[in-house]
Amino acid sequence: MLSPIAQDFNFWNWLGGMIDGDGCFSISLSRQHNSKTRRICVTPQVAVTARADRVEELEYILENTRIGKIYTRGRSPYPVSAWQTTSGKDSLDVAKKVLPYLVLKRKKCEAFIKVLEYWINTSNPDRLGDKSRARGRGQRLRTQEQMKIMIKNACEINSDRQTRRYKDKLTYEQWEPIIKEWYPN
């Protein structure tokens, strides 16, 4: 539940400015090999970064949204801290609330919301009455085509990530054969 301050126009307007300046909307993709059924993990995040000595701004976000966590990485003299969401639902909630106040990252936020809503809407086959693909029975929740759509959109949203941390991430063309192998029709 959001704090009363986080329901306030001024907070979301301020957070929109923080995200426009030092924030991002991203969807991390990774291969999960540890289970019986190999799968692609999709992790959406809204994040704001700051120098570690300015962590009070991130604490303010955490305190008022009651969403996410703060992480610090790097060593002196230039460690960096980041507030980020930790679930798809929280990422979608924050993106929807901050969207009206964004200027520079408005289009990216709109794309992020659209693809997250798609991901959530394709997660439950029972919504469509298809009980043959049920969670917990080792069956896929999504089809190959649904995964292709999600991964392609995630790669487009992440395309401007220039940091060293993202330099070795796979492109859609590299993900496509993995999707075909792991998500047969």
Side-chain angles (χ1 to χ4, degrees), residues 36-37 123 125 132-141:
K36 289 180 183 177
T37 307
S123 70
S132 65
R133 296 183 306 129
R135 185 183 298 271
R137 294 188 192 137
Q139 300 293 321
R140 297 277 181 211
L141 294 179

Side-chain angles (χ1 to χ4, degrees), residues 25-143:
F25 299 93
S26 65
I27 300 175
S28 298
L29 303 170
S30 61
R31 291 173 277 195
Q32 179 69 3
H33 297 282
N34 299 338
S35 63
K36 289 180 183 177
T37 307
R38 297 181 295 180
R39 63 188 171 100
I40 299 171
C41 295
V42 175
T43 309
Q45 295 175 335
V46 179
V48 177
T49 58
R51 291 184 349 203
D53 62 345
R54 304 233 6 215
V55 74
E56 64 274 352
E57 294 165 351
L58 306 178
E59 290 169 347
Y60 181 72
I61 297 170
L62 181 62
E63 176 185 326
N64 289 292
T65 62
R66 297 181 185 160
I67 290 174
K69 290 187 177 185
I70 296 173
Y71 300 94
T72 300
R73 67 179 183 273
R75 297 187 181 157
S76 293
Y78 305 110
V80 174
S81 291
W83 166 83
Q84 64 187 41
T85 56
T86 56
S87 76
K89 181 189 174 305
D90 289 347
S91 298
L92 183 60
D93 289 347
V94 169
K96 284 182 172 182
K97 285 182 174 69
V98 80
L99 177 63
Y101 309 107
L102 293 171
V103 176
L104 301 175
K105 295 184 179 154
R106 177 181 278 279
K107 287 185 194 255
K108 182 170 275 211
C109 183
E110 289 169 346
F112 182 79
I113 290 169
K114 183 179 176 183
V115 75
L116 261 178
E117 286 176 337
Y118 175 80
W119 184 247
I120 290 167
N121 288 332
T122 59
S123 70
N124 185 352
D126 292 340
R127 262 188 224 148
L128 305 174
D130 181 1
K131 305 228 184 241
S132 65
R133 296 183 306 129
R135 185 183 298 271
R137 294 188 192 137
Q139 300 293 321
R140 297 277 181 211
L141 294 179
R142 294 178 182 87
T143 65

Side-chain angles (χ1 to χ4, degrees), residues 126-174:
D126 292 340
R127 262 188 224 148
L128 305 174
D130 181 1
K131 305 228 184 241
S132 65
R133 296 183 306 129
R135 185 183 298 271
R137 294 188 192 137
Q139 300 293 321
R140 297 277 181 211
L141 294 179
R142 294 178 182 87
T143 65
Q144 182 183 106
E145 198 55 39
Q146 290 169 330
M147 289 304 294
K148 284 182 179 180
I149 290 168
M150 184 61 196
I151 302 305
K152 184 173 177 65
N153 282 294
C155 289
E156 288 172 5
I157 286 172
N158 297 340
S159 65
D160 64 347
R161 302 301 303 266
Q162 299 296 319
T163 63
R164 283 184 293 177
R165 182 174 162 203
Y166 292 92
K167 73 177 172 64
D168 295 326
K169 295 297 179 188
L170 300 179
T171 64
Y172 175 72
E173 290 73 24
Q174 293 167 313

